[in-house]
Amino acid sequence: MGVEQRKSRKKPAFTDTAEVKPQAVSGEGSETPTAGSGSESQTGNGQLMEVILRRENLFEALERVRRNKGAAGVDGMAVEELGPYLKQHWLELREQLLSGNYKPQPIRRVEIPKAGGGQRKLGIPTVVDRFIQQAVLQVLQAEWDPTFSEHSYGFRPGRTAHQAIAQAQEYIGAGYAVVVDIDLEKFFDRVNHDVLMSRVARRVTDRRVLKLIRGYLTSGVLENGIVSPTDEGTPQGGPLSPLLSNLLLDELDKELERRGHRFVRYADDCNIYVRSERAGERVMAGTKRFLERRLRLKVNEQKSAVGNASERKFLGYSFTKEAPPRRRISAQSLRRFKERVRRLTTRGRTLRLVVTELTRYLRGWSGYYGRTEWPTQLRELDQWTRRRLRRYVWRQWQRPKRRYRILRRHGVPARQAWRVVHFGPWRASLSQALSRVLPNAFFTSLGLHSLAG
């Protein structure tokens, strides 16, 4: 590493803000104040910006942005350039933030394929804005998260999708086997700014922070070379968006709790569990009214429904009808898995490279779906994946004479070998002859990950 590169990795010398009086900030000298301690909260003391700009918080935000990496925003600045940029410009940025004059840059719009089809719009802030958002997030999340509902699991520290699935499974096992499955239509794109900011203002009194958050909501979108205003929505891609979405939907959680419902919410995916379809239809109608009137949110009619929990999916899983219910990988998740493996096992690369890329995907996939309580699914997927690889190799061998020589070399009888060489790739991949040449142990030796363990 050269001298210039070593210098660029030094931490910027963040200058401390003016001292905040101890009586004005709860938990003085503490990173995360205790909720409900009786002292005034950090978010409601009018000097929240000074808390956000503390050195320790800024260093933590910088390290988090570096770890998360990510693409450049509209200014083209890479994450690696953030540290040197802050060393040079921090005093100017700090003054703008303290005076309430900082103006976020527009986000860069990109579209990525959604797992269920269609495109998901992501908004990529500049790395400087990601850094500032992260610093704001760390302070607000420490204060707000302890006040959120126990039924909310998405984008919260120490809470996971698997915990949400386990809670849903518990409700179903207790006899609440009908689910009111609510999906919000383009939630992140359609959040009403005034409704959201009114909820933020209930917790934050520092006008500079309120202005900054609204600035991130209304900063505009760069798409096809044109910057367009943003009148609604909280763009997916920025650190603050998940927290703001939880703040808004916590009002739904509290309403469902007040009504005594059993429910699980993960981001904008909310499932309410009841005993009968009649009760479910009633709950669906009441919840839709609440969302539309109070939060100005619309339910996606195509994806939302009332039905038996065994016939609906939740966070990629479904549940069996037996008692107690067992969780299993949903049919839709299985289809997506096979689509991805098909794409990874196309021609044009060496088998070793294909197995390396495939294993990377399989490890990540099994980390989430490996908790199925229906292990047959994993064994069948292992078999299917190896069959795809045998098909891949068979296509690489191409000519019948070459296939015949390879089969004979591995001890396949001549008559059997001659019959198999005329099979199509998918039929050949299931033959005993090809399994003899390419046994399971061969793929294991290449490092292929097994879903079934």
Side-chain angles (χ1 to χ4, degrees):
M1 184 182 294
V3 175
E4 291 297 323
Q5 194 171 357
R6 283 199 299 270
K7 285 183 178 179
S8 70
R9 291 185 63 82
K10 290 182 180 179
K11 291 181 177 180
F14 292 123
T15 304
D16 270 321
T17 59
E19 183 180 356
V20 181
K21 294 181 180 180
Q23 65 267 29
V25 180
S26 68
E28 181 69 25
S30 169
E31 286 289 327
T32 53
T34 303
S37 61
S39 57
E40 190 175 358
S41 71
Q42 295 187 92
T43 55
N45 63 47
Q47 292 183 302
L48 177 59
M49 186 62 79
E50 282 77 7
V51 177
I52 292 169
L53 298 183
R54 285 176 175 170
R55 290 166 58 89
E56 320 84 71
N57 189 54
L58 295 173
F59 281 131
E60 183 182 342
L62 177 60
E63 290 305 312
R64 185 66 62 88
V65 171
R66 282 172 169 167
R67 286 199 303 271
N68 291 343
K69 299 181 181 179
V74 295
D75 60 357
M77 184 188 297
V79 172
E80 294 78 14
E81 301 174 78
L82 177 59
Y85 179 86
L86 291 176
K87 285 182 66 176
Q88 185 176 354
H89 299 280
W90 173 243
L91 291 179
E92 178 186 350
L93 287 172
R94 171 179 170 271
E95 179 57 35
Q96 291 175 2
L97 290 165
L98 285 173
S99 63
N101 293 320
Y102 179 79
K103 186 176 181 180
Q105 295 192 62
I107 61 172
R108 182 168 67 88
R109 174 77 79 204
V110 296
E111 293 186 352
I112 61 172
K114 294 175 66 174
Q119 298 289 315
R120 184 186 304 278
K121 292 183 178 182
L122 292 183
I124 302 178
T126 65
V127 291
V128 173
D129 281 322
R130 293 210 293 270
F131 162 69
I132 296 172
Q133 283 194 43
Q134 182 64 39
V136 175
L137 169 69
Q138 289 165 185
V139 174
L140 295 187
Q141 190 163 56
E143 183 82 16
W144 294 359
D145 192 80
T147 71
F148 289 159
S149 169
E150 287 298 309
H151 300 272
S152 166
Y153 292 86
F155 308 116
R156 297 185 61 188
R159 289 176 160 256
T160 68
H162 290 123
Q163 292 173 338
I165 294 163
Q167 181 61 76
Q169 189 173 1
E170 185 177 320
Y171 288 144
I172 298 167
Y176 297 85
V178 173
V179 59
V180 181
D181 187 352
I182 297 174
D183 184 272
L184 297 176
E185 186 173 296
K186 296 182 179 180
F187 170 72
F188 286 94
D189 296 330
R190 295 187 174 175
V191 168
N192 182 282
H193 290 171
D194 291 335
V195 172
L196 174 58
M197 288 306 302
S198 70
R199 274 58 178 178
V200 177
R202 293 174 186 174
R203 297 174 179 246
V204 173
T205 59
D206 191 324
R207 293 182 180 274
R208 298 165 299 178
V209 177
L210 291 173
K211 183 180 178 182
L212 179 64
I213 293 175
R214 184 176 279 277
Y216 280 122
L217 296 176
T218 60
S219 60
V221 175
L222 176 66
E223 196 169 14
N224 299 321
I226 300 173
V227 176
S228 304
T230 45
D231 300 320
E232 60 181 5
T234 170
Q236 288 179 272
L240 265 177
S241 288
L243 179 65
L244 295 177
S245 68
N246 272 334
L247 174 65
L248 183 61
L249 291 177
D250 187 62
E251 192 161 336
L252 169 64
D253 298 339
K254 296 302 197 302
E255 178 65 17
L256 294 177
E257 288 176 354
R258 188 185 67 79
R259 298 179 185 182
H261 291 311
R262 292 159 179 80
F263 70 98
V264 180
R265 184 177 64 79
Y266 193 94
D268 57 339
D269 195 350
C270 182
N271 279 8
I272 308 169
Y273 295 88
V274 296
R275 290 189 180 274
S276 68
E277 288 202 17
R278 184 177 179 182
E281 295 293 350
R282 186 171 62 250
V283 170
M284 174 68 86
T287 305
K288 285 171 62 176
R289 282 195 301 272
F290 176 84
L291 287 167
E292 291 170 1
R293 295 176 183 177
R294 185 75 65 85
L295 303 182
R296 300 189 194 177
L297 295 172
K298 187 176 181 181
V299 171
N300 188 324
E301 299 289 350
Q302 292 183 335
K303 294 184 178 180
S304 302
V306 176
N308 194 290
S310 64
E311 299 169 358
R312 306 292 299 176
K313 65 177 181 65
F314 182 53
L315 301 178
Y317 281 87
S318 59
F319 303 95
T320 62
K321 290 183 179 181
E322 62 192 23
R326 288 191 287 171
R327 62 180 175 273
R328 57 180 298 166
I329 305 165
S330 70
Q332 188 177 32
S333 298
L334 294 175
R335 285 196 300 272
R336 291 173 186 167
F337 172 88
K338 291 187 175 183
E339 289 170 3
R340 182 66 180 275
V341 172
R342 286 190 185 100
R343 290 198 298 270
L344 291 171
T345 52
T346 54
R347 287 191 295 178
R349 297 167 297 164
T350 65
L351 177 63
R352 189 172 293 277
L353 179 58
V354 169
V355 170
T356 298
E357 293 183 358
L358 184 58
T359 290
R360 189 180 301 120
Y361 171 68
L362 294 177
R363 287 187 187 279
W365 192 89
S366 63
Y368 184 78
Y369 289 102
R371 301 195 185 190
T372 177
E373 294 174 331
W374 203 273
T376 302
Q377 291 182 304
L378 300 179
R379 290 194 294 270
E380 289 175 350
L381 290 178
D382 269 344
Q383 294 168 4
W384 183 86
T385 301
R386 287 191 293 265
R387 187 177 176 188
R388 284 289 308 180
L389 289 171
R390 291 187 180 103
R391 175 187 181 275
Y392 181 85
V393 174
W394 188 255
R395 288 171 64 87
Q396 282 190 324
W397 291 346
Q398 294 183 334
R399 298 189 309 275
K401 287 185 178 180
R402 183 185 180 193
R403 293 170 176 171
Y404 180 80
R405 286 197 304 270
I406 294 173
L407 294 177
R408 292 289 291 130
R409 194 185 308 142
H410 285 80
V412 178
R415 179 175 294 181
Q416 183 184 8
W418 186 248
R419 184 173 66 251
V420 171
V421 296
H422 297 288
F423 288 174
W426 190 238
R427 184 181 177 190
S429 67
L430 194 59
S431 68
Q432 291 183 349
L434 196 54
S435 293
R436 183 170 181 172
V437 179
L438 302 171
N440 295 351
F442 170 73
F443 295 115
T444 301
S445 71
L446 293 179
L448 181 67
H449 178 72
S450 171
L451 298 176

